[in-house]
Amino acid sequence: MNSPASAIRELLAILAFLITASACAQSGWPAYERFRAVMGQNEPAALGSLGKQLTGSADPRERHLGLLAWAASLHRSDDLVAGISAFDSVLATVPATEYGIRATARQMLSNAFTMLGDPEKGLMVAEEGLRDLPGNGHARERIGLHIVRAEAKLVKGDDLAEVFDAFVVAARLAGSAGFHLGHAQAENGMGLVRLNQAGYDEAWSHFSEALRHGRLAESARSMQNTVANLSITATMSGHYDKALHLCDSLLQAGSLSPEFEANLYTERGVIHKRQGLLDAAIRDFERARALLDPLPSTRTKVKLPHHMASLYWTLGRRDEAFSSLHAALAEAERMNWKDLQAEIHRGLHNYHHELGQLAPALKHIQAYAILSDSVNAVRYDEQIARSAALYDTEKKEHRIKEQEQAIALAAAEDRRKAMQRNALIGTTGALLLVALLLYRAMRHRQRLAAKQKELHDQQVDQLLSQQEIKSINAMLEGQEKERERMAKDLHDRLGSMLGGIKANLSALEDRVESMRQDQQYQKVTRLMEHAVGELRQISHDMAAATLSRFGLEKALKDLRDTLHINGRLQVELNTFGLDQRLERGVEIAVYRIVQESVSNVLKHAKATELSIGVTRAPGRLSVVVSDNGVGFDTAHAGSGMGLGNVRSRAAAIGATVQIDSTPGKGTTVSVECPVVE
């Protein structure tokens, strides 16, 4: 959370921007206005065509703008990795004085990093862009950088109140500049924050305002994103009719791009499926597919068959479900989209596993694991390479900027002092009042955050305690039944035997010397041995009955059902090969390892998604617990996060533990345990 002093500095910067933006308007540039107009639409091919045209111009500035348009076409085509490389080339080639081009490149570069799961890098790029902009003009680029910075903070998991305030700042700047597209993006961000807080009515209000500004800006891409968010909000709050009415009103308006219209039909299909109107959902998905078929391959085009496969499976049309998923997999492999390949392999595993087809199910879950690891490794290698390239570029830019600043410093100093003097005289009184109110609000926010943290920890402990109590109650119930059965067996099966022993011993009281050879004595001995055997059998039966009541798969399902919270924590459980029971000690140890890992996620990770996977293969058992939380630096992890308990429990059964985590990228705990077949 920002300190009061830093908040005051940010407010001063915003006021200074508003004053200078109104006094110094940016001069027009027809080529740049054309680029802005094409950017407002969702047509990557148009951006690519504009880039090709401008890079052939004799004007150096237009050639630089052409490089930006080409990079933007890659970004809009969902080829984010190639887009990042292209934006790096733009920043390395375009002079530092081309503020508009460089700021737009950094805005889209920040967005690409955030979408690829590296919001920390996205935040850094956005802040670099804001620092490099001059004090006057470039209002749209400045607003865009404020928005992508707030989006990176939202994905990174920063304090939601702070993220909401950042979007509010961007909305105010956009309103003052009359920038409808920026206003739409800021309202959309505020809606996402409220959606994360389960404030569905407020989220709907912000998304509706975003749609209004998107229409005023005539931006198909902005309207498409906002409609998807409105549909999600209505669906999560149970207002399906509201979401359908929204989609229908836009479809009836006409003048939509084929991809936008296909997305609207896809949203209709998802809503109809959730309502149980499966035939209507099939019609909507088929209409979307007809619109997408003539278009080039996009991620939306690959994801649609996944939706259709799920619907076919629900309808019992197994062959069509498999055919749809295999077609989507072939296209994802052709485009080398490994994250989508992994998602499709996981769906195929689930279908094969449900049909009891264990061999193909195992093949697809192994492919899913390999692809997931590959995606993470590629992102890590690309991050290292980009960091090295950016470092060299930044050194060159720094030298250029020092030379330019030395030339312009003398002339700019007098203008800056006069502007600061006039601004300070007019705003000092207002700033003092705002600073006081801001300080009080931030103190209140700090106290509220501390209370929320305390409440969160209490909820985590309560969830785990409820699960523990549930397991203990089940065990006590089984033990009580076994005690009752054992008492009945002892009475019915051993009572008569012990009575016979007593009668025979009474008859032997006067016979001592020859007792050992006496048949009656031998009979007593046999009865006693029989009684001991019966007692051992009863004990064995009791232990077997108690063990048969509990299984690892059932216990994990109970744990998942207890932790799953709609809208806040989505918990996924995948098990394979647990139909045959493991040794009791191994089952107990594995359950405790999963429980300890889940406890760490709930207490520290701030995650919204949690995945638990337990897979049994010949000779080994694999356990994977992963989340999308804040992560941590494994090189500096202490024992306070429960990792020591996980390792000690694993060591007790001869298992190995691997913990993979990076700040901002979540955490994965992997356990490999040998199993005796």
Side-chain angles (χ1 to χ4, degrees):
M1 185 174 294
N2 291 340
S3 66
S6 62
I8 292 172
R9 285 196 299 271
E10 184 173 359
L11 184 59
L12 278 169
I14 293 170
L15 289 172
F17 161 72
L18 292 175
I19 295 171
T20 56
S22 61
C24 304
Q26 183 180 355
S27 59
W29 181 15
Y32 196 68
E33 293 304 319
R34 284 176 57 203
F35 168 75
R36 282 177 168 173
V38 176
M39 280 285 291
Q41 308 309 311
N42 196 22
E43 298 177 4
L47 278 169
S49 176
L50 178 62
K52 183 177 181 180
Q53 176 185 346
L54 291 176
T55 50
S57 171
D59 185 352
R61 294 188 72 202
E62 291 190 354
R63 290 199 298 271
H64 295 153
L65 185 60
L67 290 176
L68 178 62
W70 169 70
S73 71
L74 295 174
H75 181 274
R76 290 290 172 84
S77 300
D78 291 324
D79 194 352
L80 300 180
V81 174
I84 286 174
S85 178
F87 288 126
D88 286 345
S89 298
V90 171
L91 293 171
T93 304
V94 176
T97 53
E98 290 288 0
Y99 299 112
I101 294 177
R102 295 178 65 85
T104 303
R106 280 203 168 97
Q107 177 186 342
M108 302 188 75
L109 182 61
S110 170
N111 177 260
F113 280 131
T114 301
M115 292 177 66
L116 281 173
D118 193 356
E120 193 72 43
K121 188 71 174 178
L123 180 62
M124 186 189 76
V125 171
E127 290 176 343
E128 287 174 350
L130 287 170
R131 286 196 301 269
D132 288 347
L133 279 176
N136 301 332
H138 303 286
R140 294 187 177 186
E141 289 78 11
R142 192 182 308 275
I143 293 165
L145 288 166
H146 273 289
I147 290 169
V148 295
R149 182 177 68 168
E151 290 173 345
K153 288 183 176 182
L154 178 61
V155 175
K156 194 163 71 76
D158 284 358
D159 179 73
L160 290 179
E162 179 182 345
V163 175
F164 186 85
D165 290 343
F167 281 121
V168 169
V169 169
R172 289 173 180 169
L173 293 175
S176 300
F179 183 24
H180 290 294
L181 179 58
H183 207 150
Q185 292 168 337
E187 290 286 350
N188 194 59
M190 286 187 275
L192 289 173
V193 173
R194 293 307 187 213
L195 192 62
N196 280 329
Q197 295 173 327
Y200 300 122
D201 290 339
E202 292 180 275
W204 182 272
S205 176
H206 286 297
F207 289 142
S208 299
E209 189 68 6
L211 183 60
R212 185 177 72 85
H213 283 284
R215 282 172 170 167
L216 292 173
E218 298 180 350
S219 171
R221 182 178 179 85
S222 175
M223 289 190 290
Q224 179 175 319
N225 293 337
T226 305
V227 166
N229 290 332
L230 280 165
S231 178
I232 291 170
T233 304
T235 303
M236 290 179 68
S237 59
H239 297 153
Y240 298 113
D241 293 337
K242 196 174 183 180
L244 287 172
H245 176 73
L246 171 68
C247 294
D248 291 339
S249 64
L250 289 168
L251 287 169
Q252 293 168 5
S255 302
L256 304 176
S257 68
E259 186 176 1
F260 191 5
E261 189 174 356
N263 280 332
L264 290 173
Y265 277 109
T266 301
E267 287 294 330
R268 280 174 51 89
V270 171
I271 296 167
H272 279 139
K273 181 185 174 186
R274 289 176 178 170
Q275 289 180 304
L277 304 175
L278 303 186
D279 291 335
I282 283 287
R283 289 194 297 271
D284 288 330
F285 285 146
E286 288 176 347
R287 184 67 181 272
R289 182 171 61 184
L291 289 164
L292 289 173
D293 279 344
L295 302 179
S297 290
T298 63
R299 295 171 72 88
T300 301
K301 192 173 180 179
V302 175
K303 287 182 177 180
L304 178 60
H306 209 169
H307 287 300
M308 299 184 73
S310 174
L311 188 54
Y312 288 144
W313 193 265
T314 303
L315 291 168
R317 296 157 64 174
R318 306 292 196 239
D319 292 340
E320 291 175 87
F322 279 116
S323 175
S324 185
L325 277 185
H326 282 296
L329 180 61
E331 188 65 13
E333 289 174 344
R334 189 178 73 84
M335 299 302 295
N336 198 29
W337 289 331
K338 293 186 177 180
D339 56 333
L340 292 183
Q341 293 177 44
E343 184 179 341
I344 296 168
H345 275 296
R346 185 170 64 175
L348 287 168
H349 158 262
N350 292 338
Y351 290 166
H352 282 296
H353 185 264
E354 186 173 336
L355 293 176
Q357 299 171 353
L358 301 184
L362 180 60
K363 181 188 74 173
H364 285 295
I365 200 65
Q366 289 172 340
Y368 164 75
I370 292 170
L371 285 166
S372 297
D373 292 341
S374 174
V375 169
N376 292 333
V378 167
R379 288 176 179 173
Y380 178 73
D381 293 340
E382 289 169 351
Q383 182 177 355
I384 292 176
R386 289 194 299 268
S387 297
L390 283 175
Y391 176 71
D392 293 337
T393 302
E394 287 169 358
K395 289 196 297 184
K396 295 176 183 177
E397 291 178 353
H398 183 67
R399 288 196 296 269
I400 294 172
K401 287 175 184 176
E402 284 182 342
Q403 295 171 358
E404 293 174 346
Q405 289 172 357
I407 296 173
L409 185 60
E413 187 67 22
D414 291 338
R415 292 195 301 270
R416 185 169 57 253
K417 287 181 178 179
M419 186 178 298
Q420 288 176 346
R421 182 175 61 251
N422 295 334
L424 286 173
I425 292 173
T427 59
T428 298
L431 284 176
L432 290 175
L433 178 59
V434 170
L436 177 60
L437 294 175
L438 185 61
Y439 176 75
R440 292 181 60 187
M442 295 184 70
R443 286 291 301 274
H444 175 70
R445 192 182 303 163
Q446 288 174 341
R447 290 194 295 269
L448 182 60
K451 290 180 180 179
Q452 288 177 342
K453 176 67 167 58
E454 181 181 354
L455 179 60
H456 174 73
D457 291 343
Q458 290 175 354
Q459 290 175 340
V460 170
D461 293 338
Q462 184 179 3
L463 283 172
L464 295 177
S465 297
Q466 289 173 352
Q467 179 65 19
E468 196 70 33
I469 290 170
K470 185 177 180 182
S471 299
I472 291 172
N473 287 340
M475 184 178 295
L476 290 176
E477 181 183 351
Q479 290 176 349
E480 186 63 27
K481 290 181 179 179
E482 289 305 314
R483 289 193 184 99
E484 291 175 1
R485 190 183 66 80
M486 185 178 70
K488 186 175 182 303
D489 287 344
L490 288 173
H491 180 272
D492 294 343
R493 296 164 64 178
L494 296 184
S496 60
M497 294 181 187
L498 293 176
I501 292 172
K502 182 177 180 182
N504 281 278
L505 287 176
S506 298
L508 296 175
E509 289 180 354
D510 298 326
R511 299 165 62 183
V512 178
E513 293 298 332
S514 59
M515 187 185 308
R516 296 185 180 275
Q517 302 300 325
D518 189 86
Q519 292 182 356
Q520 203 167 10
Y521 176 81
Q522 293 175 355
K523 182 178 180 181
V524 170
T525 303
R526 286 195 301 274
L527 286 172
M528 292 179 66
E529 290 174 352
H530 192 189
V532 171
E534 286 291 329
L535 183 59
R536 288 176 178 170
Q537 183 63 38
I538 291 170
S539 299
H540 176 76
D541 292 344
M542 182 179 69
T546 301
L547 183 59
S548 67
R549 285 186 59 86
F550 302 99
L552 179 59
E553 187 170 21
K554 179 62 170 60
L556 291 174
K557 288 180 179 178
D558 289 344
L559 180 62
R560 176 201 59 195
D561 294 340
T562 301
L563 297 175
H564 188 85
I565 304 173
N566 284 331
R568 295 183 59 189
L569 180 61
Q570 301 296 320
V571 183
E572 180 185 27
L573 173 65
N574 292 307
T575 61
F576 181 82
L578 297 184
D579 299 330
Q580 183 180 357
R581 293 288 300 273
L582 301 167
E583 292 182 4
R584 184 181 178 189
V586 173
E587 288 188 336
I588 292 174
V590 168
Y591 180 79
R592 295 305 183 196
I593 288 170
V594 172
Q595 192 179 46
E596 190 70 40
S597 302
V598 169
S599 176
N600 289 341
V601 172
L602 294 174
K603 288 183 177 180
H604 306 291
K606 299 182 181 178
T608 59
E609 295 178 3
L610 173 64
S611 174
I612 303 171
V614 181
T615 303
R616 181 179 181 178
R620 67 182 183 87
L621 181 71
S622 298
V623 180
V624 179
V625 180
S626 62
D627 64 83
N628 67 342
V630 298
F632 62 95
D633 187 354
T634 56
H636 298 90
S639 60
M641 296 177 68
L643 301 181
N645 291 339
V646 173
R647 291 192 173 97
S648 63
R649 291 184 187 278
I653 57 173
T656 59
V657 179
Q658 181 177 354
I659 299 171
D660 183 16
S661 183
T662 303
K665 292 187 176 181
T667 302
T668 299
V669 177
S670 304
V671 179
E672 294 286 335
C673 172
V675 175
V676 178
E677 298 294 330

